[in-house]
């Protein structure tokens, strides 16, 4: 096959890919619009969860995030992280009593409210869990794996929070008097 014919067929094949993707309904993820323009972050922006949540909120480019307590009453909405719990539960032990399997759990409670106290999202708990096999001989590598699993669960929870924040409808937000 000549190189010009091969080039033509490759170009023709690549040209049909965008048409095929558009026809199947494929669409890149977009940042959602939020019902509020300013959000007061009533959570620790230095905790791992707070850092990731802050990065996602600012990364959307559609929200101005405030952390100064003086600005809380001027914000359109207030995001409260009510609690974050990390647990390790032994779910499997050997005949000698050594732990063989752990279950890692991450639970985050949050709510969204207006400065006037109207709750836009009632207090809700999000829960993630992962199983981790454990051996004493590989304790250091299992500790690193545990950190990776906690970070993965945290990312999932932050994405769930972002989806719930974007689901708040503008008509639910009270208009200032």
């Amino acid at each position: 096959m000549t190189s010009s014919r091969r080039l033509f067929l490759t170009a023709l094949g690549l040209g049909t890919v965008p048409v095929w993707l558009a026809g199947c309904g494929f669409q890149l993820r977009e940042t959602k619009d939020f019902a509020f323009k300013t959000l007061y972050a009533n959570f620790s922006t230095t905790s791992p969860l707070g850092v990731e949540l802050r990065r996602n909120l600012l990364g959307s480019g559609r929200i101005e995030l405030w952390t100064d307590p003086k600005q809380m009453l001027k914000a359109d909405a207030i995001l409260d992280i009510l609690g974050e719990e990390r647990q390790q539960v032994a779910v499997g032990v050997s005949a000698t009593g050594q732990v063989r399997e752990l279950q890692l759990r991450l639970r985050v409670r949050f709510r969204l409210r207006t400065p006037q106290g109207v709750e836009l999202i009632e207090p809700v708990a999000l829960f993630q869990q992962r199983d981790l096999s454990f051996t004493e001989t590989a304790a250091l590598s299992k500790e690193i794996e545990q950190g990776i699993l906690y970070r993965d669960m945290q990312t999932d929870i932050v994405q769930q929070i972002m989806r719930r924040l974007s689901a708040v409808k503008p008509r639910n937000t009270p208009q200032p008097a």
Side-chain angles (χ1 to χ4, degrees), residues 17-29:
V17 170
V19 172
W20 180 78
L21 284 176
C24 75
F26 175 80
Q27 184 177 2
L28 292 173
R29 273 193 214 173

Side-chain angles (χ1 to χ4, degrees), residues 100-115:
R100 290 289 173 215
E101 189 170 349
L102 291 172
Q103 191 173 69
L104 306 176
R105 299 175 181 170
L106 179 61
R107 182 175 180 244
V108 175
R109 293 181 56 240
F110 79 98
R111 72 176 175 183
L112 183 70
R113 62 187 172 95
T114 63

Side-chain angles (χ1 to χ4, degrees), residues 127-175:
F127 185 77
Q128 289 280 316
Q129 70 183 25
R130 303 284 190 275
D131 293 329
L132 174 68
S133 62
F134 187 80
T135 58
E136 288 292 325
T137 57
L140 183 60
S141 64
K142 290 298 178 179
E143 186 176 324
I144 292 169
E145 185 179 357
Q146 179 180 346
I148 291 169
L149 289 173
Y150 271 126
R151 192 168 48 243
D152 181 50
M153 290 188 288
Q154 176 181 291
T155 300
D156 286 349
I157 286 179
V158 166
Q159 291 303 314
Q160 288 181 40
I161 291 173
M162 293 295 291
R163 283 192 295 273
R164 288 175 188 233
L165 290 177
S166 67
V168 173
K169 301 292 182 221
R171 67 179 184 273
N172 291 347
T173 57
Q175 300 299 324

